[in-house]
Amino acid sequence: NKTSVEACQRKQIPLKDSPIIIMSNSAGEIAGGLIIPVVAGILNGSWNAAFSPAANLAVAPIDQSSSSSAKKDTRQQYDLSHHHAWVLFQFYSAIANILLCLFWAGGPARVSYIVNEAPASSVWLIVLFSILMGIGILLFGEACRISGVGMGTNLTIGIIVILGTLLPLFMNQQAATPSGGMIIGGVVVSCIGLFFSMRSLQIRTKEEQIKGKATESINNDEVGDGTESISNDKMEDAEEGAAGTNEPPPEEPKTDEPKTHSTLLKITLCVLAAVFSSTLQFAFVFGSDLIKIAESPGGPGSTPKSGSAAIIWLFVIPLSTISSITYGLYESRKLPLKHLWRCPISRHIKIFIFACIPWIGHIHLYGIAANLLLPPHIAAAVAWPILMSTTVAWGMILSLRLGEWKEASKDAQTKQKLGLGILAVGIVVVMASVALYDQ
């Protein structure tokens, strides 16, 4: 307003640096702040498709990887396993993020100044929460493996949406405001959509298991008719040989029964994965001192407003990849490490383009929306649920387009589409909450 402008002029403060002017977001900025998290969610829901063998991007198709080595050239013999591809993905993402954030924050000298000027406790807390976020990513993978994709993905993301939204709302005392209430309502609607998505995936998985068992039973019956007499002859020969040597007859090979896990364990893993993953928000809360120093005029060089959060991402991404890289190397320990550099060059290029860029891109797009374009007191609470809900919705759309639901029952497909529709409504409700925000 006029009084604020005159006060800035008397104190010789540039209008662009006025805190009151900065909080007054234009309609164009708010529109951009609502659209950008949707774009970020699409990117976040797309990068993992690169690890599908059918895509032939990060890993080779199954038929190619299982073909005889005689038909392959030297590079193809050392093609990547899933875990090796994941290690390269995390490594390239960390390197690309470091270079981007160093440039965005104003250069190495500027970053060194910011870190040295900040309280040591703030820096160490950022390090701690970055490592905890990395553990959350690992737990998320275990939750999906043990609980199944349906429960593991949707239950974990549902909790992440709730925690990541309520935390900034309560910290900024916005939960009891009209906009805060509408945000919470939108999150509730999105969680209902996630529930239907989880149910549809559980139904489809159960149907696939039943179909697989039926096919296996038919194959066993066909094989059994022709081999029963041969098996009996072999058992008789084995018993005769064992009788002559006083050794017990050979045991029949044991079949591996799928290990079942309790519902409590599944839910506990999902909750732990969500809690640890949500510590990303704490990295920004306790890293506010570094952001303020980055925005100040002191020290060598300068940091643009858009790059003030880059100083936090400079810590978060590389540190969170440590646990994933370590786990990936451990899981692929039976394969030689030379696969990492002797695989086809195209694998490295595809991993960087189709996995690293979308993943790093969605992170920084979210940061731009939350730190620059949306009203500051509700920015994170608005951008976060839009980002995560769009991520799930886009993944559902991709699965439909890729034909993963063609053989699913009508009940599973109906619940999947219902969940997608409810998710879209939840995203719109969260977006509309900005109209009720009173600056």
PDB file of all heavy atoms in Angstrom, residues 86-115:
ATOM      1  N   TRP A  86      19.991 -48.438 -10.706  1.00  0.00           N
ATOM      2  CA  TRP A  86      19.560 -47.546  -9.625  1.00  0.00           C
ATOM      3  C   TRP A  86      20.753 -46.801  -9.025  1.00  0.00           C
ATOM      4  O   TRP A  86      20.667 -45.610  -8.712  1.00  0.00           O
ATOM      5  CB  TRP A  86      18.844 -48.358  -8.545  1.00  0.00           C
ATOM      6  CG  TRP A  86      18.298 -47.499  -7.436  1.00  0.00           C
ATOM      7  CD1 TRP A  86      18.867 -47.219  -6.240  1.00  0.00           C
ATOM      8  CD2 TRP A  86      17.050 -46.793  -7.458  1.00  0.00           C
ATOM      9  NE1 TRP A  86      18.071 -46.394  -5.496  1.00  0.00           N
ATOM     10  CE2 TRP A  86      16.951 -46.118  -6.216  1.00  0.00           C
ATOM     11  CE3 TRP A  86      16.025 -46.678  -8.380  1.00  0.00           C
ATOM     12  CZ2 TRP A  86      15.842 -45.327  -5.892  1.00  0.00           C
ATOM     13  CZ3 TRP A  86      14.924 -45.884  -8.056  1.00  0.00           C
ATOM     14  CH2 TRP A  86      14.843 -45.226  -6.824  1.00  0.00           C
ATOM     15  N   VAL A  87      21.878 -47.494  -8.866  1.00  0.00           N
ATOM     16  CA  VAL A  87      23.088 -46.850  -8.333  1.00  0.00           C
ATOM     17  C   VAL A  87      23.528 -45.710  -9.254  1.00  0.00           C
ATOM     18  O   VAL A  87      23.836 -44.607  -8.792  1.00  0.00           O
ATOM     19  CB  VAL A  87      24.216 -47.889  -8.172  1.00  0.00           C
ATOM     20  CG1 VAL A  87      25.551 -47.195  -7.915  1.00  0.00           C
ATOM     21  CG2 VAL A  87      23.898 -48.844  -7.026  1.00  0.00           C
ATOM     22  N   LEU A  88      23.556 -45.971 -10.566  1.00  0.00           N
ATOM     23  CA  LEU A  88      23.943 -44.923 -11.509  1.00  0.00           C
ATOM     24  C   LEU A  88      22.951 -43.767 -11.486  1.00  0.00           C
ATOM     25  O   LEU A  88      23.347 -42.589 -11.552  1.00  0.00           O
ATOM     26  CB  LEU A  88      24.027 -45.506 -12.924  1.00  0.00           C
ATOM     27  CG  LEU A  88      25.210 -46.431 -13.208  1.00  0.00           C
ATOM     28  CD1 LEU A  88      25.108 -47.006 -14.613  1.00  0.00           C
ATOM     29  CD2 LEU A  88      26.539 -45.687 -13.038  1.00  0.00           C
ATOM     30  N   PHE A  89      21.675 -44.070 -11.378  1.00  0.00           N
ATOM     31  CA  PHE A  89      20.638 -43.038 -11.317  1.00  0.00           C
ATOM     32  C   PHE A  89      20.858 -42.122 -10.117  1.00  0.00           C
ATOM     33  O   PHE A  89      20.829 -40.893 -10.239  1.00  0.00           O
ATOM     34  CB  PHE A  89      19.265 -43.709 -11.260  1.00  0.00           C
ATOM     35  CG  PHE A  89      18.167 -42.857 -10.711  1.00  0.00           C
ATOM     36  CD1 PHE A  89      17.828 -41.644 -11.311  1.00  0.00           C
ATOM     37  CD2 PHE A  89      17.451 -43.260  -9.593  1.00  0.00           C
ATOM     38  CE1 PHE A  89      16.805 -40.862 -10.802  1.00  0.00           C
ATOM     39  CE2 PHE A  89      16.435 -42.481  -9.079  1.00  0.00           C
ATOM     40  CZ  PHE A  89      16.112 -41.275  -9.682  1.00  0.00           C
ATOM     41  N   GLN A  90      21.091 -42.699  -8.955  1.00  0.00           N
ATOM     42  CA  GLN A  90      21.301 -41.896  -7.759  1.00  0.00           C
ATOM     43  C   GLN A  90      22.609 -41.095  -7.830  1.00  0.00           C
ATOM     44  O   GLN A  90      22.664 -39.925  -7.427  1.00  0.00           O
ATOM     45  CB  GLN A  90      21.312 -42.802  -6.521  1.00  0.00           C
ATOM     46  CG  GLN A  90      19.977 -43.437  -6.212  1.00  0.00           C
ATOM     47  CD  GLN A  90      18.988 -42.459  -5.607  1.00  0.00           C
ATOM     48  OE1 GLN A  90      19.101 -42.069  -4.447  1.00  0.00           O
ATOM     49  NE2 GLN A  90      18.005 -42.047  -6.387  1.00  0.00           N
ATOM     50  N   PHE A  91      23.655 -41.728  -8.363  1.00  0.00           N
ATOM     51  CA  PHE A  91      24.949 -41.058  -8.473  1.00  0.00           C
ATOM     52  C   PHE A  91      24.872 -39.863  -9.425  1.00  0.00           C
ATOM     53  O   PHE A  91      25.306 -38.750  -9.090  1.00  0.00           O
ATOM     54  CB  PHE A  91      26.007 -42.054  -8.949  1.00  0.00           C
ATOM     55  CG  PHE A  91      27.359 -41.445  -9.199  1.00  0.00           C
ATOM     56  CD1 PHE A  91      28.175 -41.080  -8.142  1.00  0.00           C
ATOM     57  CD2 PHE A  91      27.806 -41.221 -10.499  1.00  0.00           C
ATOM     58  CE1 PHE A  91      29.424 -40.509  -8.371  1.00  0.00           C
ATOM     59  CE2 PHE A  91      29.045 -40.648 -10.732  1.00  0.00           C
ATOM     60  CZ  PHE A  91      29.853 -40.292  -9.666  1.00  0.00           C
ATOM     61  N   TYR A  92      24.322 -40.076 -10.621  1.00  0.00           N
ATOM     62  CA  TYR A  92      24.207 -38.985 -11.584  1.00  0.00           C
ATOM     63  C   TYR A  92      23.292 -37.864 -11.065  1.00  0.00           C
ATOM     64  O   TYR A  92      23.551 -36.679 -11.313  1.00  0.00           O
ATOM     65  CB  TYR A  92      23.677 -39.514 -12.915  1.00  0.00           C
ATOM     66  CG  TYR A  92      24.670 -40.336 -13.701  1.00  0.00           C
ATOM     67  CD1 TYR A  92      24.259 -41.405 -14.498  1.00  0.00           C
ATOM     68  CD2 TYR A  92      26.029 -40.051 -13.643  1.00  0.00           C
ATOM     69  CE1 TYR A  92      25.171 -42.167 -15.219  1.00  0.00           C
ATOM     70  CE2 TYR A  92      26.949 -40.803 -14.355  1.00  0.00           C
ATOM     71  CZ  TYR A  92      26.521 -41.856 -15.143  1.00  0.00           C
ATOM     72  OH  TYR A  92      27.433 -42.602 -15.840  1.00  0.00           O
ATOM     73  N   SER A  93      22.237 -38.240 -10.353  1.00  0.00           N
ATOM     74  CA  SER A  93      21.332 -37.236  -9.794  1.00  0.00           C
ATOM     75  C   SER A  93      22.057 -36.361  -8.777  1.00  0.00           C
ATOM     76  O   SER A  93      21.879 -35.140  -8.750  1.00  0.00           O
ATOM     77  CB  SER A  93      20.121 -37.912  -9.143  1.00  0.00           C
ATOM     78  OG  SER A  93      19.352 -38.608 -10.094  1.00  0.00           O
ATOM     79  N   ALA A  94      22.868 -36.988  -7.924  1.00  0.00           N
ATOM     80  CA  ALA A  94      23.610 -36.228  -6.912  1.00  0.00           C
ATOM     81  C   ALA A  94      24.595 -35.264  -7.565  1.00  0.00           C
ATOM     82  O   ALA A  94      24.671 -34.089  -7.180  1.00  0.00           O
ATOM     83  CB  ALA A  94      24.338 -37.190  -5.973  1.00  0.00           C
ATOM     84  N   ILE A  95      25.336 -35.744  -8.569  1.00  0.00           N
ATOM     85  CA  ILE A  95      26.316 -34.890  -9.243  1.00  0.00           C
ATOM     86  C   ILE A  95      25.624 -33.737  -9.967  1.00  0.00           C
ATOM     87  O   ILE A  95      26.040 -32.567  -9.867  1.00  0.00           O
ATOM     88  CB  ILE A  95      27.155 -35.722 -10.245  1.00  0.00           C
ATOM     89  CG1 ILE A  95      27.953 -36.798  -9.509  1.00  0.00           C
ATOM     90  CG2 ILE A  95      28.086 -34.813 -11.038  1.00  0.00           C
ATOM     91  CD1 ILE A  95      28.908 -36.287  -8.476  1.00  0.00           C
ATOM     92  N   ALA A  96      24.561 -34.047 -10.714  1.00  0.00           N
ATOM     93  CA  ALA A  96      23.842 -33.001 -11.447  1.00  0.00           C
ATOM     94  C   ALA A  96      23.253 -31.972 -10.494  1.00  0.00           C
ATOM     95  O   ALA A  96      23.284 -30.757 -10.772  1.00  0.00           O
ATOM     96  CB  ALA A  96      22.734 -33.629 -12.294  1.00  0.00           C
ATOM     97  N   ASN A  97      22.732 -32.425  -9.355  1.00  0.00           N
ATOM     98  CA  ASN A  97      22.139 -31.499  -8.387  1.00  0.00           C
ATOM     99  C   ASN A  97      23.188 -30.585  -7.758  1.00  0.00           C
ATOM    100  O   ASN A  97      22.948 -29.393  -7.548  1.00  0.00           O
ATOM    101  CB  ASN A  97      21.424 -32.293  -7.296  1.00  0.00           C
ATOM    102  CG  ASN A  97      20.747 -31.384  -6.292  1.00  0.00           C
ATOM    103  OD1 ASN A  97      19.680 -30.837  -6.543  1.00  0.00           O
ATOM    104  ND2 ASN A  97      21.367 -31.226  -5.133  1.00  0.00           N
ATOM    105  N   ILE A  98      24.371 -31.146  -7.457  1.00  0.00           N
ATOM    106  CA  ILE A  98      25.443 -30.334  -6.872  1.00  0.00           C
ATOM    107  C   ILE A  98      25.845 -29.217  -7.827  1.00  0.00           C
ATOM    108  O   ILE A  98      25.964 -28.048  -7.432  1.00  0.00           O
ATOM    109  CB  ILE A  98      26.652 -31.220  -6.517  1.00  0.00           C
ATOM    110  CG1 ILE A  98      26.317 -32.130  -5.332  1.00  0.00           C
ATOM    111  CG2 ILE A  98      27.875 -30.368  -6.199  1.00  0.00           C
ATOM    112  CD1 ILE A  98      27.379 -33.156  -5.019  1.00  0.00           C
ATOM    113  N   LEU A  99      26.056 -29.563  -9.090  1.00  0.00           N
ATOM    114  CA  LEU A  99      26.460 -28.552 -10.074  1.00  0.00           C
ATOM    115  C   LEU A  99      25.377 -27.490 -10.255  1.00  0.00           C
ATOM    116  O   LEU A  99      25.665 -26.287 -10.307  1.00  0.00           O
ATOM    117  CB  LEU A  99      26.767 -29.227 -11.413  1.00  0.00           C
ATOM    118  CG  LEU A  99      27.956 -30.214 -11.408  1.00  0.00           C
ATOM    119  CD1 LEU A  99      28.078 -30.885 -12.774  1.00  0.00           C
ATOM    120  CD2 LEU A  99      29.237 -29.494 -11.042  1.00  0.00           C
ATOM    121  N   LEU A 100      24.121 -27.924 -10.334  1.00  0.00           N
ATOM    122  CA  LEU A 100      23.018 -26.987 -10.513  1.00  0.00           C
ATOM    123  C   LEU A 100      22.881 -26.046  -9.318  1.00  0.00           C
ATOM    124  O   LEU A 100      22.749 -24.827  -9.483  1.00  0.00           O
ATOM    125  CB  LEU A 100      21.715 -27.765 -10.721  1.00  0.00           C
ATOM    126  CG  LEU A 100      20.427 -26.930 -10.812  1.00  0.00           C
ATOM    127  CD1 LEU A 100      20.477 -25.991 -12.005  1.00  0.00           C
ATOM    128  CD2 LEU A 100      19.209 -27.840 -10.885  1.00  0.00           C
ATOM    129  N   CYS A 101      22.926 -26.605  -8.107  1.00  0.00           N
ATOM    130  CA  CYS A 101      22.734 -25.792  -6.904  1.00  0.00           C
ATOM    131  C   CYS A 101      23.900 -24.845  -6.663  1.00  0.00           C
ATOM    132  O   CYS A 101      23.698 -23.713  -6.191  1.00  0.00           O
ATOM    133  CB  CYS A 101      22.531 -26.697  -5.690  1.00  0.00           C
ATOM    134  SG  CYS A 101      20.940 -27.540  -5.699  1.00  0.00           S
ATOM    135  N   LEU A 102      25.129 -25.277  -6.948  1.00  0.00           N
ATOM    136  CA  LEU A 102      26.280 -24.387  -6.809  1.00  0.00           C
ATOM    137  C   LEU A 102      26.134 -23.165  -7.720  1.00  0.00           C
ATOM    138  O   LEU A 102      26.373 -22.020  -7.305  1.00  0.00           O
ATOM    139  CB  LEU A 102      27.576 -25.130  -7.126  1.00  0.00           C
ATOM    140  CG  LEU A 102      28.128 -26.059  -6.050  1.00  0.00           C
ATOM    141  CD1 LEU A 102      29.355 -26.805  -6.573  1.00  0.00           C
ATOM    142  CD2 LEU A 102      28.492 -25.266  -4.792  1.00  0.00           C
ATOM    143  N   PHE A 103      25.726 -23.413  -8.948  1.00  0.00           N
ATOM    144  CA  PHE A 103      25.529 -22.313  -9.897  1.00  0.00           C
ATOM    145  C   PHE A 103      24.356 -21.427  -9.479  1.00  0.00           C
ATOM    146  O   PHE A 103      24.449 -20.195  -9.485  1.00  0.00           O
ATOM    147  CB  PHE A 103      25.284 -22.887 -11.299  1.00  0.00           C
ATOM    148  CG  PHE A 103      24.891 -21.860 -12.319  1.00  0.00           C
ATOM    149  CD1 PHE A 103      25.852 -21.036 -12.901  1.00  0.00           C
ATOM    150  CD2 PHE A 103      23.564 -21.699 -12.682  1.00  0.00           C
ATOM    151  CE1 PHE A 103      25.492 -20.070 -13.837  1.00  0.00           C
ATOM    152  CE2 PHE A 103      23.183 -20.738 -13.615  1.00  0.00           C
ATOM    153  CZ  PHE A 103      24.150 -19.923 -14.198  1.00  0.00           C
ATOM    154  N   TRP A 104      23.258 -22.058  -9.074  1.00  0.00           N
ATOM    155  CA  TRP A 104      22.033 -21.325  -8.749  1.00  0.00           C
ATOM    156  C   TRP A 104      22.191 -20.490  -7.479  1.00  0.00           C
ATOM    157  O   TRP A 104      21.619 -19.396  -7.356  1.00  0.00           O
ATOM    158  CB  TRP A 104      20.892 -22.320  -8.571  1.00  0.00           C
ATOM    159  CG  TRP A 104      19.534 -21.758  -8.865  1.00  0.00           C
ATOM    160  CD1 TRP A 104      19.213 -20.453  -9.094  1.00  0.00           C
ATOM    161  CD2 TRP A 104      18.321 -22.497  -8.968  1.00  0.00           C
ATOM    162  NE1 TRP A 104      17.870 -20.321  -9.335  1.00  0.00           N
ATOM    163  CE2 TRP A 104      17.293 -21.572  -9.266  1.00  0.00           C
ATOM    164  CE3 TRP A 104      17.996 -23.835  -8.851  1.00  0.00           C
ATOM    165  CZ2 TRP A 104      15.964 -21.943  -9.428  1.00  0.00           C
ATOM    166  CZ3 TRP A 104      16.678 -24.215  -9.017  1.00  0.00           C
ATOM    167  CH2 TRP A 104      15.676 -23.283  -9.299  1.00  0.00           C
ATOM    168  N   ALA A 105      22.954 -21.006  -6.525  1.00  0.00           N
ATOM    169  CA  ALA A 105      23.122 -20.301  -5.250  1.00  0.00           C
ATOM    170  C   ALA A 105      24.143 -19.175  -5.325  1.00  0.00           C
ATOM    171  O   ALA A 105      24.306 -18.422  -4.365  1.00  0.00           O
ATOM    172  CB  ALA A 105      23.522 -21.281  -4.154  1.00  0.00           C
ATOM    173  N   GLY A 106      24.851 -19.039  -6.441  1.00  0.00           N
ATOM    174  CA  GLY A 106      25.785 -17.926  -6.594  1.00  0.00           C
ATOM    175  C   GLY A 106      27.231 -18.328  -6.725  1.00  0.00           C
ATOM    176  O   GLY A 106      28.113 -17.461  -6.730  1.00  0.00           O
ATOM    177  N   GLY A 107      27.522 -19.615  -6.812  1.00  0.00           N
ATOM    178  CA  GLY A 107      28.892 -20.069  -6.992  1.00  0.00           C
ATOM    179  C   GLY A 107      29.488 -20.644  -5.723  1.00  0.00           C
ATOM    180  O   GLY A 107      28.970 -20.438  -4.621  1.00  0.00           O
ATOM    181  N   PRO A 108      30.619 -21.386  -5.850  1.00  0.00           N
ATOM    182  CA  PRO A 108      31.246 -22.028  -4.695  1.00  0.00           C
ATOM    183  C   PRO A 108      31.623 -21.047  -3.583  1.00  0.00           C
ATOM    184  O   PRO A 108      31.446 -21.353  -2.402  1.00  0.00           O
ATOM    185  CB  PRO A 108      32.497 -22.693  -5.289  1.00  0.00           C
ATOM    186  CG  PRO A 108      32.149 -22.904  -6.734  1.00  0.00           C
ATOM    187  CD  PRO A 108      31.292 -21.749  -7.121  1.00  0.00           C
ATOM    188  N   ALA A 109      32.155 -19.863  -3.953  1.00  0.00           N
ATOM    189  CA  ALA A 109      32.551 -18.894  -2.934  1.00  0.00           C
ATOM    190  C   ALA A 109      31.342 -18.404  -2.141  1.00  0.00           C
ATOM    191  O   ALA A 109      31.404 -18.237  -0.906  1.00  0.00           O
ATOM    192  CB  ALA A 109      33.270 -17.715  -3.592  1.00  0.00           C
ATOM    193  N   ARG A 110      30.233 -18.177  -2.842  1.00  0.00           N
ATOM    194  CA  ARG A 110      29.018 -17.722  -2.179  1.00  0.00           C
ATOM    195  C   ARG A 110      28.475 -18.803  -1.246  1.00  0.00           C
ATOM    196  O   ARG A 110      28.064 -18.520  -0.106  1.00  0.00           O
ATOM    197  CB  ARG A 110      27.971 -17.370  -3.244  1.00  0.00           C
ATOM    198  CG  ARG A 110      26.620 -16.924  -2.704  1.00  0.00           C
ATOM    199  CD  ARG A 110      26.713 -15.588  -2.029  1.00  0.00           C
ATOM    200  NE  ARG A 110      25.409 -15.106  -1.574  1.00  0.00           N
ATOM    201  CZ  ARG A 110      25.246 -14.045  -0.796  1.00  0.00           C
ATOM    202  NH1 ARG A 110      26.294 -13.355  -0.378  1.00  0.00           N
ATOM    203  NH2 ARG A 110      24.038 -13.660  -0.436  1.00  0.00           N
ATOM    204  N   VAL A 111      28.466 -20.034  -1.703  1.00  0.00           N
ATOM    205  CA  VAL A 111      27.969 -21.146  -0.889  1.00  0.00           C
ATOM    206  C   VAL A 111      28.840 -21.324   0.347  1.00  0.00           C
ATOM    207  O   VAL A 111      28.334 -21.533   1.463  1.00  0.00           O
ATOM    208  CB  VAL A 111      27.941 -22.450  -1.719  1.00  0.00           C
ATOM    209  CG1 VAL A 111      27.686 -23.651  -0.821  1.00  0.00           C
ATOM    210  CG2 VAL A 111      26.873 -22.355  -2.800  1.00  0.00           C
ATOM    211  N   SER A 112      30.161 -21.241   0.179  1.00  0.00           N
ATOM    212  CA  SER A 112      31.074 -21.367   1.316  1.00  0.00           C
ATOM    213  C   SER A 112      30.806 -20.276   2.349  1.00  0.00           C
ATOM    214  O   SER A 112      30.804 -20.537   3.559  1.00  0.00           O
ATOM    215  CB  SER A 112      32.515 -21.287   0.822  1.00  0.00           C
ATOM    216  OG  SER A 112      33.422 -21.344   1.907  1.00  0.00           O
ATOM    217  N   TYR A 113      30.556 -19.066   1.883  1.00  0.00           N
ATOM    218  CA  TYR A 113      30.255 -17.947   2.793  1.00  0.00           C
ATOM    219  C   TYR A 113      28.964 -18.209   3.570  1.00  0.00           C
ATOM    220  O   TYR A 113      28.905 -18.005   4.785  1.00  0.00           O
ATOM    221  CB  TYR A 113      30.133 -16.653   1.988  1.00  0.00           C
ATOM    222  CG  TYR A 113      29.527 -15.505   2.755  1.00  0.00           C
ATOM    223  CD1 TYR A 113      30.273 -14.774   3.675  1.00  0.00           C
ATOM    224  CD2 TYR A 113      28.172 -15.167   2.585  1.00  0.00           C
ATOM    225  CE1 TYR A 113      29.704 -13.724   4.391  1.00  0.00           C
ATOM    226  CE2 TYR A 113      27.599 -14.124   3.282  1.00  0.00           C
ATOM    227  CZ  TYR A 113      28.364 -13.409   4.193  1.00  0.00           C
ATOM    228  OH  TYR A 113      27.793 -12.372   4.898  1.00  0.00           O
ATOM    229  N   ILE A 114      27.929 -18.674   2.868  1.00  0.00           N
ATOM    230  CA  ILE A 114      26.628 -18.921   3.512  1.00  0.00           C
ATOM    231  C   ILE A 114      26.759 -19.990   4.596  1.00  0.00           C
ATOM    232  O   ILE A 114      26.253 -19.838   5.713  1.00  0.00           O
ATOM    233  CB  ILE A 114      25.581 -19.343   2.465  1.00  0.00           C
ATOM    234  CG1 ILE A 114      25.305 -18.190   1.492  1.00  0.00           C
ATOM    235  CG2 ILE A 114      24.284 -19.791   3.131  1.00  0.00           C
ATOM    236  CD1 ILE A 114      24.476 -18.587   0.286  1.00  0.00           C
ATOM    237  N   VAL A 115      27.448 -21.076   4.270  1.00  0.00           N
ATOM    238  CA  VAL A 115      27.597 -22.173   5.231  1.00  0.00           C
ATOM    239  C   VAL A 115      28.422 -21.735   6.437  1.00  0.00           C
ATOM    240  O   VAL A 115      28.096 -22.071   7.587  1.00  0.00           O
ATOM    241  CB  VAL A 115      28.251 -23.391   4.551  1.00  0.00           C
ATOM    242  CG1 VAL A 115      28.556 -24.484   5.575  1.00  0.00           C
ATOM    243  CG2 VAL A 115      27.340 -23.937   3.456  1.00  0.00           C
TER     244      VAL A 115
END
